[in-house]
Amino acid sequence: MVGVALVPQLNEFGKAGAITTAENEFMYEKSIHILVMLLIGFGFLMVFVRKYGYSSITATYLIVALSIPLYMLIRPYLWGSASNLTIANISMLLFAEFAAASLLIAIGGILGRVNTSQYLLVGMLFTPVYALNEWLLFSGTLIPSGAFLDTAGSISIHAFGAYFSVDMISMLTTKKESEITIETSKRSNEFALLGSAALWVFWPSFCSALVSVDKIPLAAINTVLALCGATLATYVFSILIRGKVDVADIANASLAGGVAIGAVVANVEPGWSLLIGLVAGTISVVGYSKIQPRLQRLVGGIDTCGVHNLHGMPGVFGGLVALLLVASPMWQFAGVVVSVILSVLMGVIVGFIVSKLGRKETPYDDKDEFILPD
Amino acid sequence: MVGVALVPQLNEFGKAGAITTAENEFMYEKSIHILVMLLIGFGFLMVFVRKYGYSSITATYLIVALSIPLYMLIRPYLWGSASNLTIANISMLLFAEFAAASLLIAIGGILGRVNTSQYLLVGMLFTPVYALNEWLLFSGTLIPSGAFLDTAGSISIHAFGAYFSVDMISMLTTKKESEITIETSKRSNEFALLGSAALWVFWPSFCSALVSVDKIPLAAINTVLALCGATLATYVFSILIRGKVDVADIANASLAGGVAIGAVVANVEPGWSLLIGLVAGTISVVGYSKIQPRLQRLVGGIDTCGVHNLHGMPGVFGGLVALLLVASPMWQFAGVVVSVILSVLMGVIVGFIVSKLGRKETPYDDKDEFILPD
Amino acid sequence: MVGVALVPQLNEFGKAGAITTAENEFMYEKSIHILVMLLIGFGFLMVFVRKYGYSSITATYLIVALSIPLYMLIRPYLWGSASNLTIANISMLLFAEFAAASLLIAIGGILGRVNTSQYLLVGMLFTPVYALNEWLLFSGTLIPSGAFLDTAGSISIHAFGAYFSVDMISMLTTKKESEITIETSKRSNEFALLGSAALWVFWPSFCSALVSVDKIPLAAINTVLALCGATLATYVFSILIRGKVDVADIANASLAGGVAIGAVVANVEPGWSLLIGLVAGTISVVGYSKIQPRLQRLVGGIDTCGVHNLHGMPGVFGGLVALLLVASPMWQFAGVVVSVILSVLMGVIVGFIVSKLGRKETPYDDKDEFILPD
């Protein structure tokens, strides 16, 4: 070991904690699976914008590369070194990956309208707020420890990122931008489906990452069934509402089951998970087809990836389902409200700051910033 | 836990069984790997049909989303609740994924000629028959328990799906359809190679999913060597037979080693696995280049993905290799015969039913059913 | 078990060794992750050559399929059967995968200028030399056991493959070939980014594959931070040097952190890993933008994938960082020198042999060897 501490907080995290080998093994595995979800899942899902593929993937790389170390630096200031020591194992990586996931959701709404370096700025401002919200919900300081049920972050990861985004977009959409059609192509949509599939298959690891070892089989089966339910509902409602299937519905709304089941993934029986998934998929398709145009008019901005439909509404739905299961629904409701208020408020502020720093010349196009092949 | 049982059978599966943490950990890992094989592996392998990518992937999503819960609902009726309790852990997910894999093989033959909703109908009819065949082979009712050697489903998963498919196609190919050239493109074939690679790399998890913990290293090494053998044989025979390499051979026949080794994966030494792979790859390439045209004339239909070459013949080959290793070759042979007869018979019946419910307007094309970019 | 030994060495590897279930479980997991890196990671990263995608992926399949069994056959001759018995478990698969990785790096330099079958010849000649170098460094015969620190192969895997390649290319580039522009396209670069992302996310498993169980969390976090550092440095220096971002920098240099951290991954604290990654990413971008053109003139050949920038310099950097940590820097330095000399020498010889066996008719194009869609 090098004795000199280059970055003191970071240097704590590799030390062996008081967890078992089995726990570390499960967590190691899931930390890799979630990395797949971040870089390949979120990254390629955003490649659906035909001329903006390089930017989408590069932004994903940068956001992950920024937010993981940044979160690791911030967390000990909030949780204290005692807490730091008890998590001095691979769980720190999992927490940091969750922060990156929430940030990727947050930039999904403004995708294509700011410069790549501005995503980094959003990341620098978002990550501390995300960490603060997590600390408010789970540290026992504001809400009693264990009173807020959100095992896999329906509220604290998904809804938080989505509502942060929904408010940023009002600051980050010009009139000209809101009139541009976001172009897709077969190729770009097939890459998006690949990203979607990577999210689908590794979602059980996202949902069971912090679940105790004995509950992991339950959480994994619940997640798969919720995704199955959402996938079936997506297909049916996409045809019913649109006449033909929109493949963007399949790529996105199929995942809504994973978003919604997060809060209660270790607390319901599998039959209920299938039902939660069916409802979440339905909510999400209705969101993409019916609610999004109205919401965009309401907030005066474009939600490029439709994060409100995939992470916003299904996340809140999941957090509210937990109301039926917790000892004190008031605390559960309080946690949802705190998260939504904090994210909305900070989304506006961050959007405002970023909007003052110039804008992308050609929206939804790589050409300003990347060297392109002929 | 929610006390009310929404779907009683499903609600049993999350309960902790009498298996060790190590077993659950291995099985968890493999259940995720097999999901990758289903959605990304099978899904993108089928994207080789140039204009049919949206349908191929959507069909994959739907089939997985349908067959996993459906199998979970059916199984307890066959195996009884006692058996249900002993598998009340993540192994239930593995069994359900195997059912989905076999179903994906089955639709591979008819791909592009029926509507997306008809794949769901095939799934509803196939899954109970698949579960019945599995029960006949392994429950001890028909064949003595343990007498039929098929550790990773060369017969019960691969050959069963393939022979089901080969007979469906005779009912589901019109004269017009059999004269259409199935178009590919560089893009579509590169996606197919991606699907193929996803299958190749996770195949050791497919083959060792239900192997005892101490045999997993052997099973993993055997699977890799069988895939290596098949890959080398594919390249050599593709050139020898065709003059130039057909990349569809590489994408498909390279995997035949994984299909064939399944039956005996925990029962042979690694040198034999390499040999089994070499033979399986050869069989598969000869299938794609020489046998398929004749078979298609014989059954009067098109095998879109060539499932007979990848899953049919190599699967039966693997099941017959097991004849050399089992205590009672008669029971082994009986198991192969039961599976082939049941799949052929039901394939004809299901094909007939589906053929009565209309057909796809434009074969091998997304445009009937999907909203397409300009 | 089949009693007859078809290939005696291979048949030893499946036997249970004296390692714990936990060790085997971690190693199993990593062996699969590294397979993903080989076939999907390296394979698709090389698809950036627009007209050469089929060849790149097929070559990857073949090289993996050749080198894994070949390495397994060779190793016991070097290490002896006693050593063979102690590794008679899944670690043999890991060692063989490392050999395949190094070989894939080695062919990266000559990619597109030789026939597919010639990659197999390179593989047959490279693998024994790779195994010899590994034996010299780690067996205790030349360098005292444990004196050379290279936990995840910065030197023995990455630099060895890269310097082997850099010398082969001088033998395998004609004047005509060196004047051809290697064409890319949006599609081909997006596939390359997919390969890159697959490498990024599974790199922690590459780096911690042979680390003791208690050090795995540290090694995983170190690897992630090194990759984060390299990714951030890549973006910044790509813009600073080129004015706009070259997406090839993102796809490649972002990974340099993983290359460089390999040697010391279990021996530094995480803060240092971030710094090592920042430096490695910088070295790599400078390599791609500034050094490669000069190096190519110097050696008189084209480094198609820029392996010197990604695996060569960052690998040597990692090996030299270890000088600060080892008990005896002289042995560490000796190991670096032995590896570089052996790889350079053999690269020239192998390049010479291969160059005598004819050349590809149309460089960087699939059309000579593959059946193409219209």
Side-chain angles (χ1 to χ4, degrees), chain B residues 142-348:
Chain B
L142 180 69
I143 293 176
S145 189
F148 182 63
L149 179 62
D150 194 27
T151 307
S154 293
I155 294 298
S156 62
I157 301 169
H158 294 283
F160 187 84
Y163 285 97
F164 191 98
S165 195
V166 165
D167 295 272
M168 271 200 299
I169 68 179
S170 63
M171 300 288 167
L172 290 168
T173 313
T174 63
K175 193 158 179 312
K176 184 188 130 201
E177 283 161 0
S178 68
E179 284 159 3
I180 293 172
T181 306
I182 299 174
E183 287 176 31
T184 68
S185 70
K186 270 234 156 178
R187 185 200 77 221
S188 72
N189 277 328
E190 284 169 4
F191 274 117
L193 285 163
L194 176 66
S196 166
L199 289 167
W200 207 109
V201 299
F202 290 108
W203 211 291
S205 288
F206 191 96
C207 275
S208 64
L210 297 173
V211 165
S212 65
V213 168
D214 63 312
K215 288 282 189 74
I216 286 174
L218 173 68
I221 288 177
N222 278 341
T223 308
V224 170
L225 289 173
L227 290 163
C228 289
T231 302
L232 294 170
T234 297
Y235 177 69
V236 171
F237 284 94
S238 190
I239 288 187
L240 285 181
I241 294 172
R242 301 182 194 270
K244 285 185 177 185
V245 178
D246 187 336
V247 85
D249 290 344
I250 302 292
N252 288 283
S254 298
L255 304 169
V259 172
I261 199 65
V264 300
V265 71
N267 297 72
V268 292
E269 290 179 331
W272 291 98
S273 300
L274 188 63
L275 183 67
I276 289 169
L278 285 163
V279 174
T282 307
I283 291 173
S284 190
V285 176
V286 172
Y288 276 100
S289 55
K290 297 288 181 191
I291 298 172
Q292 183 164 349
R294 286 159 214 201
L295 180 79
Q296 292 185 159
R297 279 197 297 277
L298 183 72
V299 303
I302 301 297
D303 178 1
T304 312
C305 296
V307 296
H308 184 250
N309 313 308
L310 173 49
H311 303 278
M313 292 186 295
V316 168
F317 168 62
L320 296 179
V321 165
L323 283 176
L324 308 172
L325 297 166
V326 290
S328 163
M330 280 310 296
W331 282 121
Q332 183 70 19
F333 191 70
V336 175
V337 171
V338 166
S339 299
V340 171
I341 289 177
L342 192 61
S343 60
V344 165
L345 193 70
M346 294 307 298
V348 173

Side-chain angles (χ1 to χ4, degrees), chain A residues 192-222:
Chain A
L193 285 163
L194 176 66
S196 166
L199 290 167
W200 207 109
V201 299
F202 290 108
W203 211 293
S205 288
F206 190 96
C207 275
S208 65
L210 298 173
V211 165
S212 64
V213 169
D214 63 313
K215 287 281 189 76
I216 286 175
L218 173 67
I221 288 175
N222 277 342

Side-chain angles (χ1 to χ4, degrees), chain C residues 116-134:
Chain C
T116 304
S117 58
Q118 289 174 303
Y119 297 127
L120 286 171
L121 178 62
V122 173
M124 277 181 243
L125 299 169
F126 174 91
T127 306
V129 185
Y130 169 87
L132 175 67
N133 186 57
E134 184 191 46

Side-chain angles (χ1 to χ4, degrees), chain A residues 1-7 10-11 13-16 21 24-25 28-29 32-33 35-36 39-40 44 47 50-54 57-58 61-62 64-66 68-69 72 89-90 92-93 116-117 120 187 191 194 202 366-373, chain C residues 21-22 25-26 29-30 33 184-187 189-191 193-194 196-198 200-202 204-206 208 213-218 220-221 224-225 227-229 231-232 235 242 244-247 250-251 254 266-272 274-275 325:
Chain A
M1 280 285 176
V2 172
V4 183
L6 178 73
V7 184
L10 283 185
N11 287 348
F13 304 143
K15 293 183 183 158
T21 299
N24 246 333
E25 216 159 305
Y28 174 83
E29 182 178 11
I32 302 295
H33 291 179
L35 281 181
V36 178
L39 259 76
I40 300 182
F44 280 83
V47 174
R50 184 169 79 82
K51 294 182 180 169
Y52 197 65
Y54 290 4
I57 300 167
T58 300
Y61 269 70
L62 290 174
V64 170
L66 173 78
I68 286 179
M72 287 183 173
N89 52 53
I90 202 141
M92 173 54 88
L93 181 56
T116 304
S117 58
L120 285 171
R187 185 200 75 221
F191 275 117
L194 176 66
F202 290 108
D366 291 325
K367 74 179 178 191
D368 304 349
E369 301 183 80
F370 286 83
I371 299 168
L372 297 182
Chain C
T21 300
E25 217 160 304
F26 263 124
E29 183 177 8
K30 287 161 186 175
H33 291 179
T184 67
S185 71
K186 270 234 155 177
R187 185 200 76 220
N189 277 327
E190 285 169 5
F191 275 116
L193 285 163
L194 176 67
S196 166
W200 206 109
V201 299
F202 290 108
S205 288
F206 190 96
S208 65
V213 167
D214 63 312
K215 288 281 188 75
I216 286 174
L218 173 67
I221 287 176
V224 170
L225 289 172
L227 290 164
C228 289
T231 302
L232 293 169
Y235 177 69
R242 303 183 193 269
K244 285 187 177 183
V245 178
D246 187 337
V247 85
I250 303 291
S254 298
N267 297 71
V268 293
E269 289 179 332
W272 291 99
L274 188 62
L275 183 66
L325 297 167

Side-chain angles (χ1 to χ4, degrees), chain A residues 4-341:
Chain A
V4 183
L6 178 73
V7 184
Q9 294 92 323
L10 283 185
N11 287 348
E12 294 303 311
F13 304 143
K15 293 183 183 158
I19 61 165
T20 66
T21 299
E23 285 170 324
N24 246 333
E25 216 159 305
F26 263 125
M27 284 197 288
Y28 174 83
E29 182 178 11
K30 287 161 187 175
S31 72
I32 302 295
H33 291 179
I34 297 171
L35 281 181
V36 178
M37 295 175 76
L38 298 178
L39 259 76
I40 300 182
F42 284 102
F44 280 83
L45 186 56
M46 298 195 297
V47 174
F48 80 98
V49 186
R50 184 169 79 82
K51 294 182 180 169
Y52 197 65
Y54 290 4
S55 305
S56 294
I57 300 167
T58 300
T60 305
Y61 269 70
L62 290 174
I63 276 171
V64 170
L66 173 78
S67 60
I68 286 179
L70 184 57
Y71 177 90
M72 287 183 173
L73 288 169
I74 292 168
R75 186 178 168 102
Y77 290 107
L78 288 165
W79 293 76
S81 64
S83 163
N84 185 25
L85 286 174
T86 62
I87 54 149
N89 52 53
I90 202 141
S91 69
M92 173 54 88
L93 181 56
L94 288 171
F95 286 116
E97 290 173 354
F98 286 147
S102 192
L103 175 54
L104 282 169
I105 293 164
I107 71 142
I110 61 170
L111 192 80
R113 296 190 303 275
V114 299
N115 292 314
T116 304
S117 58
Q118 290 174 304
Y119 297 127
L120 285 171
L121 178 63
V122 174
M124 278 180 242
L125 300 169
F126 173 91
T127 307
V129 186
Y130 168 87
L132 175 67
N133 186 56
E134 184 190 46
W135 179 76
L136 291 173
L137 298 179
F138 300 112
S139 70
T141 318
L142 179 70
I143 293 177
S145 189
F148 183 63
L149 179 62
D150 194 25
T151 307
S154 294
I155 294 299
S156 62
I157 301 169
H158 293 283
F160 187 83
Y163 284 97
F164 190 98
S165 194
V166 165
D167 295 271
M168 271 202 298
I169 67 178
S170 62
M171 300 289 169
L172 290 168
T173 313
T174 63
K175 194 160 177 313
K176 183 189 130 202
E177 284 161 1
S178 69
E179 283 160 3
I180 291 173
T181 305
I182 299 174
E183 288 176 31
T184 68
S185 70
K186 270 234 154 178
R187 185 200 75 221
S188 72
N189 277 326
E190 284 168 4
F191 275 117
L193 285 163
L194 176 66
S196 166
L199 290 167
W200 207 109
V201 299
F202 290 108
W203 211 293
S205 288
F206 190 96
C207 275
S208 65
L210 298 173
V211 165
S212 64
V213 169
D214 63 313
K215 287 281 189 76
I216 286 175
L218 173 67
I221 288 175
N222 277 342
T223 309
V224 170
L225 289 173
L227 290 164
C228 290
T231 302
L232 294 170
T234 297
Y235 176 70
V236 170
F237 284 93
S238 189
I239 288 185
L240 286 180
I241 294 172
R242 302 184 193 267
K244 285 185 177 185
V245 178
D246 187 338
V247 84
D249 290 344
I250 302 292
N252 288 283
S254 298
L255 303 168
V259 172
I261 199 65
V264 300
V265 70
N267 297 71
V268 292
E269 289 179 331
W272 290 98
S273 299
L274 187 64
L275 183 66
I276 289 169
L278 285 162
V279 175
T282 307
I283 291 172
S284 190
V285 176
V286 172
Y288 276 99
S289 55
K290 297 288 181 191
I291 298 170
Q292 183 163 346
R294 287 158 214 203
L295 180 81
Q296 292 184 160
R297 280 196 298 275
L298 183 72
V299 303
I302 300 296
D303 178 1
T304 313
C305 296
V307 296
H308 184 249
N309 313 308
L310 173 49
H311 303 278
M313 292 185 294
V316 170
F317 168 62
L320 297 179
V321 165
L323 284 176
L324 307 171
L325 297 167
V326 290
S328 164
M330 281 311 296
W331 283 121
Q332 182 71 19
F333 192 70
V336 175
V337 171
V338 166
S339 300
V340 171
I341 288 177

